[in-house]
Amino acid sequence: DGKPNFEHLLQKFGEAVVPVANCDVKEYNSNPKEQLPFKEYVEYWREYIRNGYRSSRGCLYLKDWHLSRSGLIPIPLADVYTTPVYFSSDWLNEYWDAVAVDDFRFVYMGPKG
């Protein structure tokens, strides 16, 4: 139905610790990041949706999570993620695909709004 399957995500990654940026705060021309359990981020995400895409915690963004490097999935990232057609010509993703050294991908995993 086009919505995240929170239960599945929590089952697979709930205990993972992920980097989360607060988009409402600027420090040195950047957003500060903190490490949160993924289950806490999902709790925030659900609250954000329930409250009309608002939260007293601000707009949090799960940023730069190296999922395949984390050891949480035993298969290559290509088996769990496909780049949307509108972003498929992103030169940096193509570079990382070519060198096969890192799992860095431009993937949005957060609330819309």
Side-chain angles (χ1 to χ4, degrees):
D1 63 1
K3 296 180 183 176
N5 183 336
F6 291 118
E7 294 311 315
H8 178 75
L9 291 171
L10 286 169
Q11 181 182 16
K12 296 291 261 185
F13 311 114
E15 298 304 317
V17 176
V18 297
V20 177
N22 186 335
C23 297
D24 292 341
V25 177
K26 284 279 195 187
E27 289 180 0
Y28 307 105
N29 204 27
S30 181
N31 304 108
K33 282 199 288 191
E34 63 180 309
Q35 301 291 317
L36 293 177
F38 184 70
K39 62 184 171 187
E40 186 177 327
Y41 182 75
V42 169
E43 181 181 312
Y44 156 80
W45 194 356
R46 287 173 159 168
E47 171 204 327
Y48 192 83
I49 293 168
R50 278 192 311 270
N51 291 335
Y53 302 100
R54 289 184 201 86
S55 171
S56 61
R57 297 180 67 182
C59 182
L60 303 182
Y61 173 52
L62 196 158
K63 184 176 188 320
D64 298 337
W65 180 20
H66 291 269
L67 176 59
S68 68
R69 195 185 325 158
S70 72
L72 294 172
I73 55 173
I75 54 177
L77 191 57
D79 292 340
V80 294
Y81 172 75
T82 304
T83 305
V85 67
Y86 300 108
F87 301 110
S88 62
S89 66
D90 185 297
W91 65 270
L92 194 52
N93 282 349
E94 292 170 4
Y95 170 78
W96 287 121
D97 287 343
V99 297
V101 174
D102 200 343
D103 68 332
F104 190 81
R105 308 292 300 176
F106 289 103
V107 178
Y108 178 71
M109 186 179 241
K112 67 178 184 176

